[in-house]
Amino acid sequence: MLHDHRPYDRERGLFYPVPPRALIPSSHPHHDLAHCLAGDRPEERARAAIFRTYVRKAAHPQDRIVISSEPLYRHVLGMDWTSASWSDSSAYWPAREAYLKRLRRWLSPFDVSVLMFVREKRAFAISLAAEMARKQTLSVSADELMTMHSPQLFDYERQIALLSRHVGPVSVVDYDDSVARGGSVVAFYAALGLEPPPGSAMFACG
């Protein structure tokens, strides 16, 4: 949705960067960035650096730059979804902090604040389990995600505290309430003090 309204946004000082395919060969460059920041291969580090260089060159001095990707919330360093240590809090939380510190280094040229949409926990688990099944990443139920495999993802308070400590001040929006009141895109623009684009009610932002 943000991608679709880039001219509208740019007129209002909001910049949602989409690097040319020649620079970042991905149809979802913000997701690609989140994944690259979790990796250590030279090509991943190079793509993350290219993305940042593009943003710095393309942004106007007074722009508010939007990086939007749910995987930024999910990634850690040194393990993936299938790792046996994912459910181990003593391993997960240091790996999560390490990822956020790397993200903050990538963001070091910018003043950063975080706008976080929070879903009802079970609804989030159902959505996440369905996504992983669709991508054939992992076969787990929503209940297994919440209680066994990834309980840390549903510890919103600690996640918010880490984001505040390592990335920037966090503003929280209730996703389910925003949908009921006109859509998460409307809520996103309201949080920035902007009027939403025409026809944006009832769409989810991402």
Side-chain angles (χ1 to χ4, degrees), residues 1-2 4 68 117 119 175 178-179 182-186 188 200-206:
M1 188 64 182
L2 294 173
D4 295 339
S68 176
F117 280 77
R119 299 188 71 170
Y175 175 89
S178 72
V179 170
S184 59
V185 171
V186 172
F188 169 80
S200 59
M202 301 313 298
F203 284 92
C205 68

Side-chain angles (χ1 to χ4, degrees), residues 35-110:
H35 302 326
C36 285
L37 290 172
D40 287 310
R41 297 197 305 270
E43 60 268 28
E44 292 171 321
R45 290 177 178 260
R47 285 209 306 276
I50 289 167
F51 194 117
R52 184 171 65 180
T53 298
Y54 168 79
V55 172
R56 297 183 73 180
K57 288 182 176 179
H60 299 155
Q62 301 305 316
D63 275 345
R64 287 188 284 182
I65 301 164
V66 178
I67 303 296
S68 176
S69 176
E70 186 178 308
L72 289 170
Y73 178 80
R74 303 201 302 256
H75 272 307
V76 300
L77 289 191
M79 64 179 81
D80 59 25
W81 285 109
T82 60
S83 171
S85 58
W86 186 274
S87 59
D88 179 358
S89 289
S90 65
Y92 170 88
W93 289 113
R96 177 62 179 158
E97 287 198 69
Y99 180 80
L100 293 178
K101 289 176 181 178
R102 181 176 289 184
L103 171 62
R104 188 63 186 91
R105 288 194 296 272
W106 187 89
L107 292 166
S108 60
F110 312 107

